[in-house]
Amino acid sequence: MMLNENFLWGGATAANQIEGGYQEGNKGDCISDHLTGGSLEINRSFTKNIDPKKNYPSHEAVDFYHHYKEDIALFAKMGFKVFRMSIAWSRIYPTGEEAEPNEEGLKFYDNIFDECLKYGIEPLVTLHHFDMPYLLVEKYQGFLNRKVIDLYLKYVTTVFKRYKNKVKYWITFNEINFACIPMGNLEVLGIYHEKTEDYTNPYDDLQMRYQALHHVFLASARAVQIGHSINKNFKIGCMIAHVTLYPYSCHPQDMLLVQNTDHLFNDFCGDVQVKGYYPYYIKDYFKKNGINIIKEKDDDDILQDGCVDFYSFSYYMSNCISCQEGLEKSMGNLLGGVTNPYLKSSEWGWQIDPEGLRYTLNKLYDRYQIPLMIVENGLGAVDEMDEDKKIHDNYRVDYLKKHIIEMKKAVEDGIDLKGYMMWAPIDIISSSTGEMKKRYGLIYIDKDDNGNGDYSRYPKDSFYWYKKVIETNGEIL
Ligand code: BG6
């Protein structure tokens, strides 16, 4: 099966995991600037003040801020058609509350887009990727306060206008459904409750969390409307962390549990953003949990008028769900589950399931019937560099290859898929653990968790493999 010749092959990143350039170009502090480094064993922590004795990996990240030309040239060498990246809101409005945007920040992204366009690479921009300006957390508890909708829209309008001739594809919020579990309080919603001590296990108030999520839905829907009024050719999408779920057994209760968990984690946000209204099952969940969303009179119309143009998602793994107690637990991107005896896991315990991607693409297209994009898929692994500065990451090639094979089968099944962006073309700071050691890149970056390294870039074996994949439009894998 041949993929469409305009198929968008490329890679995806996020500002807080690649840029560095902390406080350079008048950038303000954002949420991720206050997250310390961690590991699989030690959770990252969130500190209100920057403690000079602690390590905050986003401050340097992989220094894309100063290496973007070199990095984009490498992406071009692989033949990228698209580069997914995010704009750091706090580079444009350092505290979120300034009346005028920060020209240095705007110029930085102008340079990036110009560099991409020079090579015929289409930028795809995430407007919010876990990095709200910090002041908005402190002053308003983020999106819990409706005022932050307006501040987000001020920022979004500024960048839509500025880049209207350079960027066509936009995503309003990264992994918005992270807000459907307690940990999403901070990174998606900007809520850091005074009773919270550990942000990975925060104090969780359902009423607050879902009220703030309602405001995020409104912000997203208004952004879609505003974007279309600035450039009717904009394509603006939602982005969901899709953790594919299987029943552990054929017990009907396992099946019902999967359906319910799917509804609450995987489906809810996409349903609102694609269909423009709250689905029936969430109303029941709200009722049973005493959640009462406070709406203003136009809110339902705003949601209805701000449906997204495409559905994008991250896919790393699948998990099993069971109503039985005592089964072996599996880890996961945001959502854990029960171990699947038929699957192997990555070094960080994420179950590798290429066929689950085909299943997911079919499920999503069946549900939404709008264009889909895979905007994250990849393997975090420890890479070793040999004496010749080569990295033989055949495990990464194997992971990506198997997923692309299943993706092509899904296209053959008849789904409408616009693009595939692997995560991540360059090594980056891991979002969950804050490590460098968990490498995703096709390009190795000389930096480790102890601050060693000179940030030199080295193509891995997977770089040359992916180049061939793109060159042949996915025919040679
Ligand atoms: C997604 C995020 O959750 O998964 C990315 O959108 C993140 O920001 C990616 O990097 C992989 O997760 P991790 O924790 O391995 O970096």
Side-chain angles (χ1 to χ4, degrees):
M1 169 82 189
M2 279 292 283
L3 291 167
N4 188 304
E5 60 181 24
N6 300 324
F7 190 75
L8 292 169
W9 288 103
T13 59
N16 74 86
Q17 292 170 271
I18 61 168
E19 281 182 8
Y22 176 60
Q23 293 181 335
E24 285 189 62
N26 299 323
K27 179 180 177 295
D29 269 23
C30 66
I31 288 175
S32 36
D33 291 328
H34 290 241
L35 289 176
T36 64
S39 67
L40 191 55
E41 295 77 29
I42 302 167
N43 285 343
R44 304 185 76 175
S45 58
F46 178 80
T47 67
K48 288 192 171 176
N49 298 310
I50 300 296
D51 177 345
K53 292 194 281 311
K54 292 199 157 102
N55 162 34
Y56 298 88
S58 75
H59 294 192
E60 282 90 29
V62 293
D63 201 27
F64 179 77
Y65 193 72
H66 297 108
H67 288 78
Y68 69 90
K69 283 195 181 176
E70 186 184 346
D71 291 340
I72 294 168
L74 286 166
F75 303 158
K77 217 167 162 185
M78 281 187 277
F80 273 26
K81 311 282 184 238
V82 64
F83 171 42
R84 176 181 172 224
M85 42 151 305
S86 70
I87 294 182
W89 181 353
S90 62
R91 279 200 193 284
I92 309 302
Y93 289 97
T95 65
E97 292 209 295
E98 291 78 3
E100 295 302 323
N102 169 33
E103 179 57 29
E104 264 196 84
L106 288 168
K107 188 79 193 84
F108 171 62
Y109 294 107
D110 261 322
N111 294 343
I112 291 179
F113 300 143
D114 290 345
E115 208 59 26
C116 287
L117 297 172
K118 180 170 112 187
Y119 296 111
I121 300 174
E122 187 93 56
L124 185 153
V125 174
T126 314
L127 291 158
H128 179 279
H129 195 128
F130 304 162
D131 61 354
M132 171 186 288
Y134 177 69
L135 180 94
L136 305 184
V137 176
E138 211 169 57
K139 191 163 167 190
Y140 300 110
Q141 300 212 65
F143 278 102
L144 185 58
N145 190 320
R146 274 185 89 106
K147 187 172 160 78
V148 174
I149 302 178
D150 295 332
L151 296 173
Y152 171 83
L153 293 174
K154 179 177 66 172
Y155 149 64
V156 161
T157 306
T158 301
V159 296
F160 278 163
K161 284 191 177 152
R162 175 82 169 213
Y163 307 124
K164 68 172 188 229
N165 298 319
K166 297 184 181 180
V167 179
K168 176 176 168 196
Y169 295 103
W170 304 88
I171 286 170
T172 54
F173 287 90
N174 182 64
E175 293 189 336
I176 183 172
N177 59 321
F178 194 6
C180 298
I181 55 174
M183 237 190 99
N185 267 298
L186 179 64
E187 284 173 292
V188 178
L189 304 171
I191 299 176
Y192 191 76
H193 198 279
E194 55 186 17
K195 291 187 187 153
T196 292
E197 282 170 11
D198 168 10
Y199 99 102
T200 59
N201 185 19
Y203 176 82
D204 186 39
D205 180 313
L206 283 175
Q207 172 65 34
M208 279 166 73
R209 176 146 61 82
Y210 282 95
Q211 185 65 48
L213 180 56
H214 177 66
H215 298 156
V216 171
F217 286 143
L218 293 172
S220 173
R222 286 287 297 129
V224 172
Q225 290 173 303
I226 293 169
H228 288 154
S229 72
I230 292 171
N231 183 342
K232 63 180 179 7
N233 296 320
F234 276 177
K235 298 285 179 215
I236 308 173
C238 61
M239 198 299 200
I240 308 294
H242 201 284
V243 179
T244 296
L245 301 173
Y246 302 147
Y248 181 71
S249 78
C250 51
H251 195 298
Q253 281 179 19
D254 278 3
M255 198 59 223
L256 281 169
L257 196 57
V258 165
Q259 187 175 52
N260 187 251
T261 316
D262 247 339
H263 275 160
L264 298 181
F265 185 76
N266 287 317
D267 300 336
F268 168 46
C269 295
D271 283 358
V272 175
Q273 292 182 292
V274 176
K275 298 175 181 174
Y277 56 88
Y278 276 64
Y280 72 93
Y281 53 81
I282 206 74
K283 294 180 184 157
D284 179 55
Y285 175 79
F286 286 174
K287 202 158 93 199
K288 289 186 175 132
N289 288 282
I291 300 164
N292 176 28
I293 302 296
I294 298 158
K295 290 186 184 171
E296 292 191 356
K297 85 173 181 349
D298 294 333
D299 285 6
D300 287 340
D301 293 340
I302 291 172
L303 295 182
Q304 191 63 75
D305 295 341
C307 296
V308 291
D309 302 314
F310 65 91
Y311 178 105
S312 77
F313 67 105
S314 59
Y315 178 86
Y316 291 92
M317 85 217 16
S318 66
N319 262 320
C320 289
I321 295 282
S322 172
C323 54
Q324 278 180 64
E325 297 287 329
L327 295 168
E328 192 191 335
K329 294 258 177 355
S330 57
M331 318 268 293
N333 185 18
L334 315 184
L335 201 67
V338 169
T339 303
N340 184 334
Y342 302 101
L343 300 178
K344 295 208 170 64
S345 295
S346 77
E347 289 163 280
W348 272 261
W350 295 11
Q351 298 185 133
I352 300 173
D353 181 12
E355 285 166 301
L357 178 59
R358 178 180 182 185
Y359 163 76
T360 305
L361 284 163
N362 275 280
K363 174 199 148 175
L364 293 173
Y365 194 57
D366 195 20
R367 193 172 187 95
Y368 298 122
Q369 302 276 311
I370 62 170
L372 304 177
M373 285 206 211
I374 300 166
V375 293
E376 285 185 31
N377 173 239
L379 180 72
V382 175
D383 289 332
E384 300 292 345
M385 187 180 251
D386 72 11
E387 285 159 8
D388 302 324
K389 308 251 181 231
K390 302 261 186 286
I391 298 100
H392 304 297
D393 56 342
N394 54 325
Y395 37 88
R396 184 167 294 108
V397 169
D398 188 61
Y399 178 100
L400 296 171
K401 183 192 288 188
K402 287 185 173 146
H403 283 80
I404 293 173
I405 289 173
E406 295 303 320
M407 171 188 95
K408 285 174 62 185
K409 286 186 193 160
V411 172
E412 203 167 341
D413 294 334
I415 63 139
D416 181 6
L417 183 68
K418 298 293 181 217
Y420 173 83
M421 278 141 260
M422 57 79 56
W423 184 269
I426 47 177
D427 289 342
I428 51 159
I429 303 295
S430 155
S431 177
S432 56
T433 67
E435 291 168 296
M436 269 311 294
K437 190 172 125 194
K438 188 179 188 187
R439 294 178 185 269
Y440 281 89
L442 309 168
I443 298 161
Y444 184 91
I445 296 188
D446 180 20
K447 183 191 171 177
D448 69 17
D449 287 317
N450 304 318
N452 305 312
D454 65 3
Y455 295 95
S456 297
R457 274 68 173 145
Y458 300 92
K460 305 179 192 175
D461 286 0
S462 54
F463 176 99
Y464 301 101
W465 169 81
Y466 198 46
K467 180 174 188 296
K468 192 90 199 155
V469 173
I470 298 178
E471 218 168 77
T472 61
N473 200 19
E475 286 302 291
I476 300 184
L477 287 167

